Amino acid sequence: MKWTLEEAQKQLASVINATSLEPQLIYTEEELVAAIVDPELFSEFLNWRQKAAKTSLAQVFKELQQLCTEENYSLEIPLRSDRDNPFTEDEDE
């Protein structure tokens, strides 16, 4: 649900209770200034962020390669072709 900052201040208990259903978004005019979420969702976010900080791009590609192998999936890459480049064309043409 969307709340204005003033509404959220006046009805803080309702805002906190509603987090069990969905994140509660708080706005000042049209700008999102806060989001209140339940503790379980926030914990999941912290775990994800910690894992993402430790994961290198090479590890992500290795996991993707493993998933593709398990699913018998192959990525078809189209043949490379040159595009017209107006900056390299000769002015006399």
Side-chain angles (χ1 to χ4, degrees):
M1 180 173 179
K2 293 171 88 172
W3 300 85
T4 65
L5 186 56
E6 294 78 23
E7 289 173 335
Q9 287 173 331
K10 290 177 185 175
Q11 300 180 35
L12 184 59
S14 297
V15 173
I16 292 172
N17 289 335
T19 61
S20 64
L21 302 173
E22 64 182 351
Q24 301 300 299
L25 307 177
I26 301 174
Y27 290 81
T28 56
E29 296 181 19
E30 296 297 318
E31 183 180 359
L32 178 64
V33 294
I36 301 177
V37 298
D38 73 338
E40 186 178 319
L41 180 60
F42 186 65
S43 180
E44 289 176 21
F45 166 74
L46 290 177
N47 290 336
W48 170 82
R49 189 172 71 172
Q50 186 178 25
K51 182 182 176 194
K54 292 179 181 179
T55 306
S56 71
L57 187 57
Q59 289 171 318
V60 171
F61 277 121
K62 187 174 181 178
E63 289 177 23
L64 179 61
Q65 185 178 31
Q66 180 64 34
L67 288 171
C68 288
T69 301
E70 290 171 5
E71 296 294 324
N72 197 24
Y73 179 81
S74 64
L75 180 63
E76 294 184 23
I77 302 172
L79 295 174
R80 185 176 176 157
S81 61
D82 291 333
R83 299 181 295 189
D84 291 333
N85 186 344
F87 296 108
T88 60
E89 292 179 4
D90 198 9
E91 289 183 23
D92 296 334
E93 291 180 22

